[in-house]
Amino acid sequence: MWFVVFLLSGISAIEMTFELQEHEVQCFHEIIPKDKKFTLEYQVISGGHFDVDCHLMSPNSKVIYKEQRKQYDTFHHSTVEEGEYTFCFSNEFSTFAHKTVYFDLDLEEDSKDAPGADAGGAHATALTQLESSAYAIHESLRLVVDYQSHHRLKERVGREVAEYLCERVQNWSIGQTVLIVIVAFGQVFMLRKLFDKPANRGGKVGI
């Protein structure tokens, strides 16, 4: 049953949704081995203009990725050294809008981790039909999880935009209603002033 252990231990993805306040920077750290391919994907779900600054630094503090005011992006990279990689999200340019940010750090599996290779890599064993099926199911499930995450993000972003537009339309409608009422009362007041009798305005009128 070693292939079951592989399915459980082969999960090497980190995803998180967090709140980023105005004028705030949040950084995350991950130790990644050498010659490891990884993918960083992020998206702003709500807040302001749905934009955020992001940069990624290698263990020697070298900036290998930097983007400003992006709503979403995907970055692929292959490490050349082992160490602690740091990726930060910044909302320093925003004065009052806080953001909700989602990111996914996916570490690709090495070929030596695939079923059919022993721990030392000395020789490869033939895959049984059950092991091959389990590996194919594992890869298919990972793809399904990625699709579900993207659909949930799109649904949440669409809902945030719809609620924002609904609030704007509602506020505009309330403002228009108040303005119409003020104009109506003003017109009534002006008409009453126009049709008032001269005696009511200045007292008696001499003959």
Side-chain angles (χ1 to χ4, degrees):
M1 300 298 290
W2 63 270
F3 59 92
V4 177
V5 178
F6 160 75
L7 291 179
L8 296 178
S9 61
I11 300 175
S12 55
I14 303 170
E15 56 180 333
M16 181 183 297
T17 303
F18 63 96
E19 296 287 338
L20 189 62
Q21 301 296 329
E22 56 273 10
H23 302 295
E24 184 182 15
V25 178
Q26 287 198 27
C27 295
F28 303 87
H29 310 270
E30 181 68 19
I31 298 177
I32 304 177
K34 185 180 179 181
D35 298 328
K36 188 79 170 180
K37 294 181 179 180
F38 69 89
T39 301
L40 174 63
E41 181 178 5
Y42 64 91
Q43 180 172 356
V44 181
I45 300 177
S46 65
H49 295 287
F50 297 88
D51 52 356
V52 71
D53 296 343
C54 178
H55 68 271
L56 174 64
M57 292 186 297
S58 62
N60 57 5
S61 300
K62 179 182 178 181
V63 178
I64 57 179
Y65 170 83
K66 184 177 182 180
E67 289 290 344
Q68 294 182 337
R69 300 198 173 189
K70 296 277 289 187
Q71 180 180 356
Y72 60 89
D73 199 11
T74 302
F75 175 68
H76 305 276
H77 184 69
S78 181
T79 60
V80 296
E81 58 181 334
E82 181 179 1
E84 183 177 289
Y85 288 77
T86 304
F87 51 102
C88 300
F89 299 93
S90 172
N91 193 30
E92 291 181 309
F93 58 86
S94 181
T95 55
F96 58 89
H98 69 278
K99 314 289 176 62
T100 302
V101 183
Y102 164 87
F103 75 87
D104 179 15
L105 180 64
D106 187 12
L107 305 179
E108 296 185 9
E109 299 172 358
D110 298 330
S111 58
K112 63 182 181 180
D113 295 332
D118 62 350
H123 64 279
T125 59
L127 295 179
T128 65
Q129 185 176 2
L130 182 59
E131 292 167 352
S132 301
S133 300
Y135 182 73
I137 292 173
H138 165 66
E139 293 298 323
S140 299
L141 287 177
R142 288 189 61 186
L143 186 61
V144 169
V145 170
D146 289 339
Y147 282 147
Q148 287 179 338
S149 298
H150 283 85
H151 283 300
R152 284 197 299 266
L153 287 175
K154 290 182 179 179
E155 187 273 336
R156 183 168 180 181
V157 171
R159 186 175 66 248
E160 292 286 344
V161 173
E163 291 178 353
Y164 174 75
L165 292 177
C166 180
E167 182 180 358
R168 292 289 299 273
V169 171
Q170 183 178 8
N171 293 338
W172 178 259
S173 301
I174 294 174
Q176 291 290 321
T177 303
V178 172
L179 182 61
I180 290 174
V181 172
I182 294 175
V183 170
F185 276 104
Q187 290 179 343
V188 171
F189 178 77
M190 292 298 297
L191 288 174
R192 289 190 61 182
K193 292 287 290 183
L194 289 175
F195 287 98
D196 275 349
K197 295 181 180 180
N200 294 336
R201 296 183 185 176
K204 296 181 179 181
V205 178
I207 298 176

